[in-house]
Each structure stands twice: as C-alpha cells, then as structure tokens.
Amino acid sequence: MSEIAPTNLSLSKIRELIEKAVLEAAAYLDSAVNSGEKLDVQVKSDKTLVMNLDLESQRRILTTLGTAYPIVAEEDPSSHNLIESSSSYFLVDPLDGTTSCKRFLGQRGGQVGYGPLVGFVENNQLAVSAFYSVPHRTLFTAVRGEGAYAREYGATESRVLKPVPCKDLSTAGVLFFVSPYGEARVIESLRTRNAIENVYRFGGFANDCVRLAQGFEQVQLQCNARPWDFSAVLLAAEAGYEVFCDPLGRRVPLREWRIEMNNAVAIMHREIVADFFAFVDSME
C-alpha cells in the first residue's frame, strides 16, 4: 500500500470520524444479525477465522475513513507494513471477536461482546479508540487525556467509565488469552496458588478491555495482541487502568510503547500493580 500524506485533523474531529466509521459498520452487523445473513467462514494462514461479515464491515469502515490518514486494516495484509513506516495512522479491526461472533451470533446482552474496533495512532502513540459491542448495542470511546465513555443505543448522553476499587490482588478477576508467549504459565500459577479470585475469557480483546473499563474485572493479560486489537487498550487506560507492554520482560508503560506486529500487554487496576509484578517475579 502506498503512503498517504496525512491531513492535520484535531483529535475531536478524529473521534467523530472514527465513531462514524464504527457505527456504520455496527449498523451493517446489526442488520446481518437481524436478517439471518448466511455466514461464509474461511480459515486464514494464521489459523484465525475471517467471515463475509468481517470483509463487508471493513469495506464500510475504510469508505467512511477516506484518505485523511494511512490505514492499517486487519484484512488488508498489504497495509500491515505501515506499522513500521508511519507515525500517524488508523487501525482497523472490522470485527474484533470473529470467533465469538460466529458462535454467539444473534445473542443480546450477556458476557460476550464482539464488533468493529477502530483506533488512531498519532506520532506513534495511541490517541483515539472506538469499539461497538454488537450484543450490548453500546459504543465505547476513548481519547488520550480525556477519559473513556460508553453510550448505549438510543441514549443521548454518554457515561464515564472508571474502575471500581480493588486494593488486593486476591480479590481480582483476571481476563486472559492463551498464546505461545507465556500467559498460560502466569495464569496457571496465579490460580493454583490462590493469588487471585478467578480467571475468565468472554470474547475478543476489545470486549476484555471494556469489561475492565466498566469494573467487571481488574486484570487482563495477553502476550500477542495484534496492532488492530491493541488500539482497545486505550479504552481501559483512559478509564484509569495501568497498561504495561512486554509485561513479562521490560514492562514498558503504554506512553513509551511504539506499536509492533505482536504486542504483549498487561492491563490492571493501579492499586494492585506492585502485587501483580511481585507475584510474576516470584515465579522466576
């Protein structure tokens, strides 16, 4: 994909554009659910799934975003090298939680969430993120330095997202994803040594982030978040959670991290950061 000369838009305008793109895709996904659109499911080279819903959702998002900035889109491999070559760009996951969508298509409410996710990176730092959970019919938005918000379908006002108090790791709920990069060892040790309350997995990465932002759980660990998934961390960070990249190694704060093709990340309530990493260190 050729480089696009970026336009100088304010973050408020970027937010408006991203929300418009996410809602356009969400309207399509909602209609597909309601109409019983037949699913065409394919397995990609990395063994993950892609459906006709992903592809049409991405088409609508890209059309709405236009050419204001370069776009890194999950289902457009030719765009992926922009991660290394650009400092400001959009990140597009047309359907975060594709497998959850396939399994729970048509479900309303509940614990599982999936839907379109769009982020904006400004000067190598996450600046805006928006995710629409189709089962919950809720738009989640975050802007760097301005907080995180949720707006339910039909509502005119957004509610501010912030964590509920959690002063002890032993009372924490932990969300995780198992990859070859180390989560399983940490999660197994946390659980078997009764260092946490429980562990869960309810769907895609963005759903995990907004669950934390709403205070349902207190820790999230995933050691291979892809760039288009990674933009969801801003939803938790702006709600008040601490985010550390490469958490089992260098423990780089989010504000110092430049997005890579594979991003290890731990998100947690700020009051239990010291206890969490003390536990991880005790495993070595």
Side-chain angles (χ1 to χ4, degrees):
M1 175 177 285
S2 59
E3 180 75 33
I4 297 173
T7 305
N8 290 322
L9 296 177
S10 66
L11 288 187
S12 63
K13 292 295 184 183
I14 293 290
R15 173 183 174 173
E16 290 175 9
L17 183 59
I18 283 178
E19 288 183 338
K20 181 179 179 181
V22 165
L23 290 173
E24 174 67 25
Y28 160 70
L29 293 169
D30 258 331
S31 68
V33 169
N34 294 332
S35 66
E37 183 173 332
K38 183 179 178 180
L39 298 183
D40 177 14
V41 184
Q42 304 292 327
V43 180
K44 298 188 289 186
S45 60
D46 63 0
K47 307 304 180 183
T48 60
L49 302 183
V50 61
M51 303 188 296
N52 51 320
L53 302 186
D54 296 79
L55 299 176
E56 178 60 19
S57 176
Q58 178 165 291
R59 187 191 69 78
R60 292 174 183 239
I61 290 171
L62 298 188
T63 297
T64 302
L65 292 179
T67 59
Y69 288 89
I71 301 173
V72 176
E74 178 180 9
E75 308 305 341
D76 179 10
S78 68
S79 71
H80 296 177
N81 64 355
L82 288 170
I83 293 293
E84 286 80 30
S85 63
S86 295
S87 61
S88 297
Y89 50 87
F90 291 113
L91 288 166
V92 173
D93 186 341
L95 182 47
D96 187 83
T98 296
T99 302
S100 297
C101 176
K102 173 179 174 291
R103 288 182 172 272
F104 298 98
L105 187 67
Q107 175 180 294
R108 292 296 186 191
Q111 308 298 324
V112 176
Y114 58 81
L117 167 67
V118 178
F120 178 65
V121 176
E122 180 182 56
N123 297 325
N124 298 314
Q125 296 295 311
L126 281 174
V128 185
S129 181
F131 168 65
Y132 186 90
S133 178
V134 174
H136 304 103
R137 306 186 81 181
T138 300
L139 174 67
F140 298 92
T141 307
V143 179
R144 184 181 60 209
E146 298 182 14
Y149 304 88
R151 186 173 79 243
E152 286 76 15
Y153 179 80
T156 57
E157 299 292 332
S158 297
R159 55 186 172 90
V160 177
L161 299 177
K162 56 184 179 180
V164 297
C166 179
K167 297 184 180 296
D168 194 323
L169 183 61
S170 66
T171 66
V174 180
L175 300 169
F176 73 103
F177 176 80
V178 176
S179 77
Y181 303 108
E183 302 98 334
R185 182 174 67 93
V186 175
I187 294 299
E188 181 182 17
S189 187
L190 283 166
R191 193 68 189 93
T192 57
R193 290 165 58 181
N194 295 314
I196 55 175
E197 189 169 271
N198 213 338
V199 294
Y200 309 89
R201 177 65 172 174
F202 293 113
F205 185 73
N207 187 59
D208 286 354
C209 289
V210 297
R211 287 188 64 82
L212 263 67
Q214 295 174 94
F216 298 142
E217 287 82 33
Q218 292 72 43
V219 180
Q220 179 182 4
L221 180 63
Q222 182 160 332
C223 292
N224 71 331
R226 304 290 273 171
W228 35 88
D229 302 322
F230 187 76
S231 64
V233 303
L234 193 66
L235 297 163
E238 285 298 322
Y241 283 78
E242 296 289 341
V243 179
F244 296 91
C245 302
D246 190 18
L248 306 184
R250 294 171 290 158
R251 300 174 187 171
V252 181
L254 177 62
R255 63 183 178 276
E256 300 175 15
W257 184 257
R258 176 164 179 161
I259 298 174
E260 301 176 352
M261 284 305 296
N262 288 293
N263 304 273
V265 61
I267 308 170
M268 67 197 77
H269 197 291
R270 60 185 49 171
E271 293 189 55
I272 58 175
V273 169
D275 288 345
F276 178 85
F277 284 124
F279 181 91
V280 172
D281 291 340
S282 74
M283 295 172 52
E284 300 176 354

